[in-house]
Amino acid sequence: MLQAQIYIDKDEVHGSQPLYEYIVQFLLKQKVAGATAFRGVIGFGEHHQMKRPDSIFSFDEPPIMITFIDEEEKVLHTLKELRKRITSGFIITTKVERFQI
């Protein structure tokens, strides 16, 4: 199995829709096993500027991470199709095992 993590800014859009919503809906249409979007509390990116979206008077865009896990072939195909539609964001993949008792 393969896990994909997609990192974007919350304020990014695709057309008139928030990018994170577009990506999750895209993953649903691709019939991946499941996906979750997480909102970052604090972080920084390639410009090394701290982002604290929950701070008083902060106008920082919070980071979003969307993660999904499926069979390796499915994940790679889905990411290839997603990259045809969007070019922003940072994507990593990691091989994972399902833990079963």
Side-chain angles (χ1 to χ4, degrees), residues 44-97:
F44 65 90
E46 64 185 340
H47 301 294
H48 293 95
Q49 294 180 353
M50 191 67 74
K51 297 185 181 230
R52 293 183 178 100
D54 291 331
S55 296
I56 296 176
F57 305 114
S58 173
F59 295 99
D60 290 338
E61 64 236 7
I64 297 283
M65 180 190 65
I66 302 160
T67 185
F68 69 99
I69 300 170
D70 210 316
E71 297 301 323
E72 184 170 350
E73 184 177 311
K74 178 75 166 191
V75 171
L76 294 176
H77 173 75
T78 299
L79 291 175
K80 183 178 176 184
E81 292 301 311
L82 181 63
R83 274 299 188 213
K84 290 178 181 177
R85 292 157 177 81
I86 63 163
T87 57
S88 64
F90 181 73
I91 300 173
I92 62 170
T93 59
T94 309
K95 289 190 183 245
V96 294
E97 290 184 36

